[in-house]
Amino acid sequence: MSEPDLRDARADEERTKFLLPEERIPRSWYNIVADLPVAPQPVLHPGTGQPIGPADLAPLFPMALILQEVSAEREIEIPEPVREAYRLYRPSPLVRARRLERVLDTPAHIYFKYEGVSPAGSHKPNTAIAQAFFNREEGTKRIATETGAGQWGSALAFAAALFGLESKVYMVRASYDQKPYRRILMETYGAEVVPSPSESTNYGRTVLADHPDSPGSLGIAISEAVEDAATRDDTKYSLGSVLNHVLLHQTVVGQEAIEQMALAGEEPDVIIACAGGGSNFAGLTFPFLGQTFRGGRSYRVIAVEPEAAPSLTRGAYAYDFGDTGKLTPLVKMYTLGSDFIPEPIHAGGLRYHGMAPLVSLLKDEGQIEARAVHQGAAFAAAVAFARAEGILPAPESAHAIRVAMDEALAAKAAGEPRVILFNLSGHGHFDLSAYEKFLQGTLPDYEYVPDDAALAALPRV
């Protein structure tokens, strides 16, 4: 073998990034409903208790998204204008975390799919771009939405600017106060941003009348955005997680990861992502699970949620509202009760009372695992990761990093190899106040305290 070949061989053994060219951006979204071992439970009308139809959703969503929501087709074509916008940042890199492996002294191989390269800094534009496009195509002029940490609001504000739409964002009060730079980014993209609960809606004013100092929640913000859309003819509602069509759009992440793991010459043994509503978790894991359901290899798949809002690990699997104001249809999911208000952890994107119906179904069927992580443990993992790999993770993603590190240490203790893949769903550049508190030792941990009244108020179906 010649000397150049030897150098090339060494370089391949030490390869860190596994990249795909733009032409490998997926041409279709993957719909796991086509391959599920059991059929999903129907979405119910809150008034009649009967399965809803497209007409029930038409005031909130464009018909193209409604059809995706109820589709059982395995592949749904991605329109070329959406793929063109994806080219701004997709395909995203797959990275081998070699330095973290050395720090942990583990035989495990650790890979992460890095979604923080998008303009908004997270995986959220994967669906925001699609939703903005379909709304524009059907004549929508304005979109209303909620946001927790601000990642989703930033993504939708960006996507609305791409397609010439107005946007109104109801940002959970706790995050509005903790993360002013997220608000400024949304406003830079052209969005109007208000803290939720707000004076902009009847429901917001009702909450403030009873709880003037309410930290808000995603459930409250969803209620406000739904009310906004339902009361204006020029406006549709846009959701950043939970619903089938949102999870569908995120599957570009997992489809790319399958190709990139093949470039690395390995297959994951364990696949990990944080889970609040379920979109980034589904985006990475659903294409892999689909392979399993079609007769392929099985994987350990772990959803990681915050101890302060542990719907998958401590919630009830029942029909519930997706919002606190009880304006949405009823969906079968793991829930802490729609009246439950999580403590103000900094991972605002995980402060939700429920979980996506498709993710909940997989958990109930034993196809995935779930773990809850305290805020302090997540930030400790994030700091260790940043010092090893140089990327400052979003607090949400830090939950996945914590479990990925735990799995790598378990491989070390067992003296066995293990290939670990996790989704680094966004960067934490707007979360430095939380990192400052952690480094100063003033970041609190919160225990989950069951809200018996919220669970007792679950709809009787």
Side-chain angles (χ1 to χ4, degrees), residues 102-108 406-418:
R102 289 197 288 268
V103 168
L104 298 176
D105 188 27
T106 177
D406 291 345
E407 287 291 319
L409 293 172
K412 176 182 177 180
E416 63 183 27
R418 190 173 298 178

Side-chain angles (χ1 to χ4, degrees), residues 84-90 92 114-126 128-129 150-151 153-159 161-162 182 185-186 188-189 425-427 429-430:
E84 182 181 0
Y86 281 172
R87 290 188 187 101
L88 289 168
Y89 63 101
R90 303 216 70 84
S92 65
Y114 186 39
E115 291 293 300
V117 295
S118 78
S122 77
H123 68 293
K124 293 292 188 178
N126 298 331
I129 289 170
Q151 296 275 21
S154 300
L156 191 68
F158 159 66
L162 286 182
R182 271 284 166 202
L185 178 61
M186 289 182 253
T188 300
Y189 284 138
S425 55
H427 67 64
H429 296 173
F430 294 102

Side-chain angles (χ1 to χ4, degrees), residues 14-313:
E14 298 172 358
R15 188 171 175 185
T16 298
K17 295 190 296 297
F18 299 87
L19 306 175
L20 296 173
E22 287 183 9
E23 54 266 27
R24 296 309 301 164
I25 294 171
R27 296 187 176 277
S28 298
W29 293 299
Y30 166 65
N31 185 7
I32 197 171
V33 173
D35 296 317
L36 287 174
V38 296
Q41 295 293 316
V43 179
L44 303 181
H45 191 286
T48 66
Q50 298 301 307
I52 62 170
D56 297 310
L57 298 175
L60 296 180
F61 303 108
M63 189 55 62
L65 294 179
I66 293 172
L67 294 177
Q68 291 175 16
E69 182 68 21
V70 300
S71 175
E73 296 293 322
R74 181 175 289 116
E75 295 183 350
I76 295 176
E77 183 179 357
I78 302 175
E80 188 52 37
V82 174
R83 291 188 78 245
E84 182 181 0
Y86 281 172
R87 290 188 187 101
L88 289 168
Y89 63 101
R90 303 216 70 84
S92 65
L94 179 77
V95 183
R96 171 88 179 268
R98 295 182 182 275
R99 290 166 178 78
L100 181 63
E101 292 171 11
R102 289 197 288 268
V103 168
L104 298 176
D105 188 27
T106 177
H109 292 181
I110 305 173
Y111 294 85
F112 62 92
K113 182 72 164 151
Y114 186 39
E115 291 293 300
V117 295
S118 78
S122 77
H123 68 293
K124 293 292 188 178
N126 298 331
T127 185
I129 289 170
Q131 292 189 47
F133 167 77
F134 288 117
N135 271 286
R136 199 261 326 253
E137 289 298 284
E138 295 193 22
T140 303
K141 303 298 182 185
R142 179 177 175 273
I143 299 179
T145 195
E146 74 292 326
T147 194
Q151 296 275 21
W152 168 242
S154 300
L156 191 68
F158 159 66
L162 286 182
F163 292 103
L165 303 173
E166 296 180 38
S167 55
K168 173 77 173 277
V169 180
Y170 294 85
M171 187 175 186
V172 173
R173 164 62 79 175
S175 294
Y176 186 93
D177 294 337
Q178 292 168 351
K179 304 177 184 185
Y181 295 112
R182 271 284 166 202
R183 170 181 57 79
I184 294 168
L185 178 61
M186 289 182 253
E187 292 171 343
T188 300
Y189 284 138
E192 179 188 355
V193 186
V194 295
S196 173
S198 76
E199 296 286 348
S200 298
T201 66
N202 289 328
Y203 183 67
R205 290 188 288 271
T206 299
V207 174
L208 288 173
D210 294 335
H211 305 284
D213 297 324
S214 171
S217 71
L218 276 172
I220 293 173
I222 290 171
S223 294
E224 291 206 83
V226 168
E227 179 184 325
D228 184 316
T231 54
R232 290 186 53 152
D233 292 337
D234 64 345
T235 301
K236 295 292 187 183
Y237 170 61
S238 187
L239 185 66
S241 194
V242 180
L243 296 179
N244 293 4
H245 70 266
V246 181
L247 276 57
L248 172 82
H249 299 155
Q250 291 295 349
T251 58
V252 292
V253 179
Q255 291 182 71
E256 290 177 6
I258 288 172
E259 281 199 52
Q260 289 165 314
M261 288 301 301
L263 287 177
E266 300 202 89
E267 272 206 272
D269 299 304
V270 188
I271 307 173
I272 302 165
C274 66
S279 71
N280 98 86
F281 173 82
L284 177 65
T285 65
F286 278 13
F288 285 95
L289 286 165
Q291 291 187 148
T292 300
F293 297 151
R294 295 191 300 274
R297 177 183 173 180
S298 295
Y299 311 91
R300 286 184 57 219
V301 178
I302 306 174
V304 190
E305 59 187 6
E307 174 60 31
S311 57
L312 282 173
T313 53

